Amino acid sequence: MKHNKKTNAARKLDELKIEYKIVEYPVDEEHLDAIHLAQEVGMPPAQVFKTLCVRGDKNGVMFAVIPGDGELDLKALAKVSGNKRAELVALKEVLPLTGYIRGGCSPLGAKKNYPVYMDASCNNWPEIAISAGQRGMQLVAAPADLQRATNATVVPLIFA
């Protein structure tokens, strides 16, 4: 599906000839959380994945892509990424590091190709939504295609 508003994330999927759709929704500055967003796009929060920018103590910056209603297990992420510890990157650092703002951070098309870790629950869905790299836009695609596009390592990342 051709889209006139292309984001870097969408261009990356086009390059790889990956099928996706873009879902646009009204941006509400007060509600940038994934639960609210899921309601806006008409999908369950567990199917709308949020991208968190995380820094490991050994290997540096990475993305954790987890369900909207999930809580990131930083210890699990540290372990699978070869770090002793991992912590969320301070909000003010996200834009300079990734080129993305809060509420519009995508694991695709960031300034640098940071390692991507995707929660294993993504495979429970025929398709999942991730940020298209700008507020008000989600990319919806098959989890396997998004894993390929981001070179994601797929592991359990959230507290059960």
Side-chain angles (χ1 to χ4, degrees):
M1 170 166 125
K2 283 291 163 228
H3 222 270
N4 45 12
K5 284 196 245 169
K6 282 285 186 220
T7 63
N8 286 345
R11 283 189 202 96
K12 174 88 173 152
L13 293 179
D14 288 342
E15 266 169 47
L16 296 168
K17 298 189 177 18
I18 288 175
E19 260 186 61
Y20 64 93
K21 59 183 185 255
I22 287 181
V23 180
E24 296 191 49
Y25 60 93
V27 178
D28 178 348
E29 291 288 335
E30 299 298 301
H31 300 99
L32 293 170
D33 60 283
I35 308 276
H36 177 79
L37 194 149
Q39 288 168 338
E40 290 290 336
V41 297
M43 292 167 84
Q47 196 177 3
V48 176
F49 280 62
K50 55 189 174 186
T51 302
L52 302 174
C53 191
V54 183
R55 182 179 282 118
D57 62 343
K58 291 188 175 153
N59 300 327
V61 176
M62 60 194 137
F63 288 130
V65 181
I66 65 169
D69 59 356
E71 189 190 337
L72 178 60
D73 181 343
L74 286 164
K75 282 195 176 99
L77 178 60
K79 194 173 171 188
V80 298
S81 61
N83 291 285
K84 274 205 170 85
R85 279 189 322 281
E87 59 184 24
L88 289 174
V89 168
L91 209 48
K92 64 179 190 302
E93 289 182 81
V94 173
L95 178 61
L97 285 170
T98 66
Y100 290 133
I101 57 169
R102 174 173 176 248
C105 194
S106 177
L108 282 167
K111 273 188 178 171
K112 285 176 70 180
N113 276 334
Y114 295 116
V116 174
Y117 295 87
M118 195 175 286
D119 184 67
S121 71
C122 64
N123 292 326
N124 300 343
W125 303 97
E127 52 183 25
I128 61 170
I130 62 167
S131 174
Q134 112 188 18
R135 287 178 184 170
M137 287 173 85
Q138 290 282 300
L139 290 176
V140 179
D145 288 338
L146 293 173
Q147 290 158 20
R148 184 166 61 93
T150 59
N151 270 326
T153 303
V154 181
V155 285
L157 287 178
I158 57 171
F159 292 105

